[in-house]
Each structure stands twice: as C-alpha cells, then as structure tokens.
Amino acid sequence: MCFGLANHALAEDGYDLWLRYQPLESAARARYAPRIAALVAPGESATIRAAVDELDRGYRGMFGQPLARRQVVQDGAVLVARAGAPLLAGLELPFAKLGNGGYLIRSATLHGKRVTIIAGNTDQGALYGVFRFLKLIQTGQPIDALDIADAPKLQVRVLNHWDNLNGHVERGYAGLSIWDWQKLPRFNDPRYTDYARANAAIGINGTVLTNVNANADILRPDYLEKVKALAAVFRPYGIRVYLTARFSAPIELGGLKTADPLDPQVRAWWKSKIDEIYTVIPDFGGLLVKANSEGQPGPADYHRTHAEGANMLADALAPHHGIVMWRAFVYAAENAEDRHKQAYTEFQPLDGKFRDNVLVQVKNGAIDFQPREPFHPLFGAMPHTPLMMEFQITKEYLGFATHLAYLGTMWEEALSADTHRPGSVAKVLETQVEPGAVTGMAGVANIGNDRNWSGSQFDQANWYAFGRFAWDPEAKADAVARDWARMTWGNDPAVVGPVLRMMMGSREAVVDYMTPLGLGHQMATGHHYGPGPWIADLKRPEWNPVYYARAAPDGIGFDRTRTGSDALSQYAPEVAKAWGSLDTVPDSLLLWFHHVPWDYRMKSGRTLWDALVIHYDTGVDHVRAMQADWAGLRGKVDAQRWAEVRDFLAIQLDEAIWWRDASIAYFQSIAKRPLPAGHKPPAHDLDYYKAITTPYAPGQAG
Ligand code: BDP
C-alpha cells in the first residue's frame, strides 16, 4: 500500500535533505490521522525533547497543524518513552534485544485505547524510533499494525570530516567547512542542529570534526571551547564529537623535544591533554589518528610500532571510556613493495597487540577509494583486533560533486564480499573480537556549507546510505536508494522508478568510463580531477597512473599473482585461488590482478582491447540514459532541483566523454589496434588530452 505525498510545486534547494516533511495529500492525511492523533512523551531529557520537536515538526509539515501533546493516553496517541517508563508497565515489550541504540515501534492497546508505542532502552533509541516512524509516513507506508524492532549492528557510526581549521575541506566539493571556527563558540549556526537531526535520522552517533592530516591547534584550550559548543548542540541527538590527533602535538603544543610514545614525558603530556579534554567535554568520543602515512608524523619516527603509538593514546583515553581510531592507510616512502601489500605487511603482524579501546580503521580497498577495488586483505586477517571500515562518501575519485554516482552499490559490494576468514566483510565488522569489544564504521563526509550540503542533490544519497550501512552493514543498496528517493523526490512511482534506475546503474557507469575491467587510479595528479593515464613522471612510483595500469606493447594490467607482486597471497586461499586464475577472476577485477595481452580472449569471446573500448562507451551511454530518464521527470519534481540535476548531468556527460576519449587515445597509442566496429575514435589526438590542465580543481590537499 502506498499513500503518496502531494506533488509540490514550491521551489526547493535541497537544504531539507531527507527531512522534507512535505504536506500529505488529503486522502493520505485522512488515513494516517486516526493513528497519530496526539503525543504522549513522559520523559523530560534533552533527547526526548529533540524527539518530540522532530515529531512535531514532521507532523506540522505533513498534516499542516501542530500535534496535540497529552499527559494521558487517548485513542490514536503516539507514545514516546524509554524502557521502564511507568506508562509501559504491564506491556511485555522485547527490550532485551534492542541494546543501547535500538528501538521498537508497536501498535498496541493500552488502557483500552489504541496507541503506537515508540520506545528504546535509552532515550537515544526512542529518538531513532521517532525518525523511523516519521519515515514510514514520509514513504507512504501503513502504520495501523506496526511491529518493528531494530538495533544497530555496529557501535561506532562516525563521519570523518576532512575539514581544516581555515575552513578548507580536503577532498570537499560542497563549499567550505560547515564548522565556522572563527565564530564559535559564541555563535552556533542553526545549521549545526539541522546537521545533528539529519545524522540522528540515519543513526550516525559520532563525528570527527577535523582532518586526518591533523593540525595540533585543535587541541588548544581556545579551540576546545569551540568543540565544546558543538558537542552541546549534538548531545541531545546522541552524537559524540571526536578529534584527530596530530602525533607530534607534544612537540608543537607541549614544547617537548620528542613525541616518542614510550617517553614518560610524552605519555604524561597526552594524559594531561586528554584529561583536560574530558574536563571540557565529559562525553568526548576519542581520537582518530593518521600516522606515518603521506608525511604525517607517527611512532615509526621513533622506531616504535603502530600498536605502541595507538596504545599510548588508548591508555590515556581508557579511564574516560574514550577510543582511538588508528588508521591503517599507510604506504611507506621509499618502499618498493606493491602498494597494495603494504598496509597488510605493516599491520597484520600487530594483531592482538592493540589495547581493547583501539579500533584499526581500514579503507574498503588496499589502494585508495577507487571506483572499484577488491576488498582490503586486512578484513578477516586480524581476528584479535577490532577493525572498522572506512568508506569515502565524498567522491574524490568518482567525479567530485557533479557526477551522479550512488555509492550504495559499491559499499554493498565491499561489505558482502566473502573473506573466507570466515564470512563476509560485513560479518567481520559486526563480530566482536571478544565480548564487549567495540565495532564501527567511518565515512569520509561529503558535507560542506553549500545550501544542499553535499554539493549536489544526488550526493545527499551517499551521506544517507552511509548512515544506513553503518547501522546495518548487511543493508541492501536498492532498498536504501528507494527510501532515499521517496523521501527526497516523492512517492510517485513515475518518479521513484526512473530515479532508482539512474542511481543503481550510476556507479558502474563511472567505473566503465574511468577505470573499467579492474584498472585503478588513472586520475590526474594531486586533485584527481579528470583522466591522466599517461602520467609517469611523479617522484614516487605509486603516485603515477602508469604504475597501476602497466600498459605496454605486450598487454595491460598489474600482475598480483605469484608471477607478479603476489599481493593475492594476503587473501584467504579460496579468494587467492579464485582471483588468481584467469578462468575464475571476474572481468571486473581482471586487470587489478593480471597482466594480459591486448588480444586476450574475454569470456564474451571479444579481445581485451575491444572489451575495454566497449566498457568506456557503455559508461558514456549510461550517462545519456540517465539524462533521458531525468528529462522525463520535468514537472514531476520541483523545478529548481530538477534544473540543477539536469545541468550536472550535462557536465557529467562532457566529462565522461573526456575520460573515454583521453583513455582510449592513450591506450590505443600503446595497443596499436583499431577500434571495434561502430565505436568512434576520440575527438582529438592524445596530445590534446595531455595538454589539458586544471590547476584550480577543488578539494586539493594542503
Ligand atoms: C587520499 C586523499 C588524501 C587523504 C588520504 C588519506 O587523496 O587527501 O589525505 O587519502 O586518506 O585519498 O589520508
């Protein structure tokens, strides 16, 4: 059954995200009204107040009037409460299964009245339940006979903002940082509250405010006051703040001569700094650290291990119940080993050596957030160490803000991959390494101060999907996309159908026009905007696209089998065997693991060269198909957002063609084969593409 929302002609700019609460059509209003006639919410905590405010806001938006608040139960009342509330006495509700953050929503009869109960073991659980209840109405679902129980499968569900103190966002394509450090702590932009609402709606319970390429100044007392102000805004929504720790902070802020994690003075400095943080922010979440990676300081500077570095911070955080998220994104300078292997080589031997309150944060793949990567070999390989997933929501390698690429499918692919150690990546993340051990997922945020938050309307879907996958790593990308589409564009099947079609094929399209068949990192230098497959002159070999594609007269691809770098040996034998054989490796990972001749016969019977060209064109064709779908939605969604998406798709088509043409021009100069019949030559010669420079592309590091 689907009640549908009224189609709205008002201009929208995307600010409201998935909390639009558009007026319902009168038939839907009439159907829902008897089940949401009043609100009874006995608790008085800030979180219950936030839940009540949200319900009220949603009700006003959808029903056009305030929701009556009552002290006593009446027919049609919605009850928002915590387990143990006297109101719920006598009802046998299954709270035990809900843990801290879970909730139930149940239609029930109480004192002879028909009511809907929304409850959790904590106020935060009840708040999540309220958002779920509102979603049911937003997406046109029936609410007469509800029996929903849901709980997060991971504990730490955090955004990582790569935001610098000067407002620049590393790999940010949505304007400047939303944290206005200059005006904090006096001025709390109302936007911070909306940020917290949007995150709580999808179950996110933490935010790392600062860039992993960290600046020690965030730990100064004056900045901690600013962090405190943000923490106060987020607290009612169950969101904790975390900061990035620059490993050399004891030198930079403390005036010490060393940051050696075994030095007593260094340890004392961190202990006192961390105690100070907790004096200011008693529920501070903990620290995220990028160490000995891409020039960042770390324990290796003192010949100490990652575990020794992480444990020093963990010891200081433990009395406050804080955690350390220690990143495994490392690839050492001057290391000739295949970059794919380096994090495993460095971290796997440390399994079991980290303190209980350390999570090792591992990117989904071993290289760097590419449009497609096989899952990281560390998943499943450190059974005694809590590992958390790091996804990149911001689309550094998938077309920045303008390309429509729904990442839910990519994340589902990574999470459902079978590690054979045992189980899927999702199971590895969900399984506590010992009772009470912490679990989690991080997403590199795509949020900035643009009105639409994410730089494009459709990039909001990636923020939304991240929350859903962090809550349930076994979520399905299409179901998540459907919810988002309904809340964002309305319930009209004539809208939802095309929007879903666009989204579900969109990431594969980017793979096809940028890095088909298992190619990786073909992007231009520094900003990673546009194609640069020919680039070969950068200082470190693994910074160059030619390092990854290895295109030569004899063929293309990176041999990671035993005859090559043997990176495959870092996976479980079943995985290594499947991907190591040309008979069983999927086409999508062929060139990631194998170097094959240009005339290699694919399973389709085509040569590799022909297949490569066809993939580039398939990607471009999908963008055209998205344009056609979107053109059909004119007048079915609001004009302002419609026009923005139309224009962004035009940019995407231009750039998809650029990628296709530049890549084919380059690879053809090496393969020296004709294009398959029916496939047009690039519009220009290779030199033309090589000469394109975009020095001011946004989001650059530094
Ligand atoms: C890469 C980004 C760089 C980040 C780095 C990281 O290009 O800006 O600092 O990852 O994750 O993807 O630390």
Side-chain angles (χ1 to χ4, degrees):
M1 199 182 345
C2 165
F3 299 141
L5 293 176
N7 186 15
H8 227 238
L10 288 180
E12 288 196 60
D13 58 16
Y15 181 86
D16 293 336
L17 296 161
W18 35 92
L19 305 175
R20 289 165 63 243
Y21 305 134
Q22 292 289 293
L24 297 176
E25 281 168 358
S26 56
R29 213 163 46 228
R31 269 197 163 105
Y32 283 128
R35 298 276 161 264
I36 178 165
L39 170 64
V40 181
E44 265 315 319
S45 72
T47 298
I48 292 293
R49 268 202 302 282
V52 166
D53 284 354
E54 195 66 31
L55 210 46
D56 192 51
R57 180 196 292 255
Y59 189 84
R60 275 172 206 267
M62 294 190 285
F63 293 82
Q65 62 193 64
L67 179 59
R69 184 104 189 248
R70 298 276 181 267
Q71 302 302 322
V72 288
V73 169
Q74 67 173 70
D75 252 333
V78 175
L79 274 46
V80 177
R82 197 164 56 177
L87 193 64
L88 304 180
L91 294 168
E92 305 267 302
L93 296 172
F95 282 112
K97 282 185 283 182
L98 300 177
N100 273 340
Y103 58 84
L104 57 82
I105 308 179
R106 204 178 255 210
S107 308
T109 304
L110 192 60
H111 311 310
K113 316 281 183 201
R114 290 197 59 179
V115 299
T116 304
I117 296 166
I118 305 177
N121 285 319
T122 59
D123 289 346
Q124 191 180 344
L127 174 69
Y128 290 151
V130 162
F131 278 112
R132 175 74 176 269
F133 182 67
L134 285 166
K135 184 175 99 179
L136 292 172
I137 303 177
Q138 286 173 281
T139 56
Q141 308 303 308
I143 58 167
D144 303 283
L146 295 173
D147 186 8
I148 296 173
D150 199 5
K153 291 186 180 151
L154 301 179
Q155 293 158 28
V156 178
R157 306 178 296 278
V158 285
L159 290 177
N160 287 184
H161 286 265
W162 285 0
D163 293 18
N164 294 328
L165 298 183
N166 65 5
H168 175 263
V169 180
E170 182 156 338
R171 311 311 177 181
Y173 313 104
L176 296 174
S177 172
I178 56 170
W179 318 132
D180 194 337
W181 297 111
Q182 183 66 19
K183 299 197 185 82
L184 282 163
R186 282 264 182 253
F187 176 65
N188 273 307
D189 193 327
R191 194 164 189 155
Y192 303 150
T193 309
D194 290 333
Y195 166 89
R197 291 173 50 233
N199 279 317
I202 53 178
I204 288 171
N205 66 358
T207 178
V208 186
L209 301 174
T210 46
N211 193 354
V212 287
N213 294 320
N215 182 336
D217 283 341
I218 191 64
L219 302 175
R220 277 171 21 178
D222 51 339
Y223 274 93
L224 292 179
E225 285 303 316
K226 298 169 192 277
V227 174
K228 175 185 177 175
L230 288 173
V233 176
F234 302 158
R235 189 166 295 118
Y237 293 91
I239 296 168
R240 288 178 175 217
V241 296
Y242 298 75
L243 295 173
T244 46
R246 185 162 163 85
F247 203 77
S248 51
I251 302 172
E252 288 147 13
L253 290 186
L256 301 185
K257 295 220 157 42
T258 173
D260 181 349
L262 299 192
D263 181 290
Q265 275 189 302
V266 171
R267 298 177 73 85
W269 187 85
W270 277 112
K271 185 172 175 338
S272 117
K273 178 50 75 183
I274 286 167
D275 289 346
E276 176 194 343
I277 296 176
Y278 279 91
T279 315
V280 182
I281 308 153
D283 56 354
F284 181 68
L287 297 168
L288 168 65
V289 186
K290 170 175 177 177
N292 296 120
S293 165
E294 300 185 323
Q296 295 300 306
D301 303 348
Y302 310 96
H303 308 289
R304 311 294 183 199
T305 67
H306 285 285
E308 286 168 322
N311 290 346
M312 169 193 61
L313 296 173
D315 288 343
L317 284 158
H320 307 284
H321 310 291
I323 59 166
V324 179
M325 295 171 283
W326 190 273
R327 297 177 86 227
F329 177 67
V330 297
Y331 57 99
E334 326 303 337
N335 188 343
E337 190 180 40
D338 175 4
R339 175 169 163 190
H340 193 293
K341 297 176 74 174
Q342 294 185 28
Y344 181 103
T345 305
E346 218 167 314
F347 274 82
Q348 202 285 329
L350 298 175
D351 186 28
K353 301 216 156 64
F354 292 92
R355 296 280 191 269
D356 288 351
N357 57 337
V358 178
L359 277 153
V360 173
Q361 183 169 312
V362 182
K363 289 188 181 181
N364 59 286
I367 299 298
D368 193 10
F369 299 137
Q370 294 305 295
R372 169 165 282 120
E373 286 192 48
F375 72 86
H376 202 300
L378 276 174
F379 290 113
M382 296 182 69
H384 306 293
T385 307
L387 298 188
M388 71 190 289
M389 172 63 82
E390 177 176 328
F391 284 132
Q392 192 182 45
I393 309 170
T394 190
K395 302 201 318 295
E396 174 181 356
Y397 295 101
L398 289 100
F400 293 15
T402 45
H403 294 214
L404 196 164
Y406 169 55
L407 303 180
T409 49
M410 173 156 101
W411 299 337
E412 184 181 336
E413 180 178 298
L415 291 163
S416 62
D418 192 350
T419 68
H420 287 273
R421 273 174 166 161
S424 63
V425 171
K427 287 289 184 210
V428 169
L429 298 175
E430 290 166 18
T431 307
Q432 293 179 313
V433 299
E434 59 189 28
V438 62
T439 57
M441 187 184 287
V444 179
N446 64 349
I447 298 162
N449 67 357
D450 276 7
R451 270 301 287 177
N452 65 23
W453 301 85
S454 302
S456 88
Q457 305 300 335
F458 273 86
D459 280 334
Q460 296 179 354
N462 294 327
W463 176 8
Y464 179 83
F466 170 74
R468 295 284 301 271
F469 278 99
W471 180 277
D472 178 8
E474 291 162 84
K476 296 286 171 247
D478 54 354
V480 171
R482 188 179 299 274
D483 282 347
W484 178 81
R486 284 170 166 250
M487 288 190 282
T488 306
W489 301 106
N491 287 305
D492 180 355
V495 173
V496 176
V499 166
L500 270 184
R501 195 158 56 223
M502 292 165 69
M503 290 171 78
M504 291 304 289
S506 58
R507 176 271 186 148
E508 198 62 40
V510 175
V511 171
D512 277 337
Y513 62 70
M514 288 189 184
T515 51
L517 294 174
L519 287 176
H521 216 322
Q522 298 300 291
M523 292 78 191
T525 306
H527 45 62
H528 301 151
Y529 173 65
W534 46 82
I535 294 167
D537 59 353
L538 304 177
K539 223 173 43 209
R540 303 235 313 248
E542 74 284 347
W543 286 352
N544 292 287
V546 297
Y547 171 91
Y548 297 95
R550 313 209 154 195
D554 75 331
I556 179 170
F558 197 133
D559 182 3
R560 293 190 163 105
T561 70
R562 245 169 284 162
T563 53
S565 79
D566 203 21
L568 271 167
S569 65
Q570 295 180 334
Y571 290 95
E574 294 86 342
V575 178
K577 187 162 172 243
W579 289 348
S581 155
L582 282 172
D583 295 332
T584 46
V585 67
D587 282 0
S588 59
L589 294 177
L590 177 66
L591 304 180
W592 194 277
F593 289 115
H594 299 271
H595 186 83
V596 293
W598 295 104
D599 293 325
Y600 171 77
R601 284 280 154 199
M602 307 289 290
K603 289 176 198 85
S604 65
R606 293 195 183 92
T607 66
L608 170 80
W609 166 248
D610 284 1
L612 195 64
V613 174
I614 290 167
H615 272 281
Y616 286 117
D617 275 323
T618 307
V620 174
D621 287 347
H622 184 82
V623 181
R624 290 206 175 91
M626 289 199 291
Q627 285 184 309
D629 267 334
W630 194 251
L633 298 189
R634 182 174 208 152
K636 292 198 170 75
V637 299
D638 55 284
Q640 184 173 333
R641 290 187 304 161
W642 181 83
E644 183 186 307
V645 174
R646 175 202 55 197
D647 293 349
F648 281 17
L649 285 169
I651 297 173
Q652 184 172 8
L653 181 63
D654 286 349
E655 295 183 356
I657 294 172
W658 172 29
W659 264 97
R660 180 254 180 215
D661 283 355
S663 306
I664 291 178
Y666 170 66
F667 290 126
Q668 193 175 28
S669 76
I670 299 170
K672 302 205 186 305
R673 276 155 177 81
L675 295 179
H679 293 265
K680 279 203 316 231
H684 304 278
D685 64 12
L686 180 56
D687 287 340
Y688 170 91
Y689 297 107
K690 284 185 170 176
I692 297 174
T693 59
T694 59
Y696 308 111
Q700 307 198 43

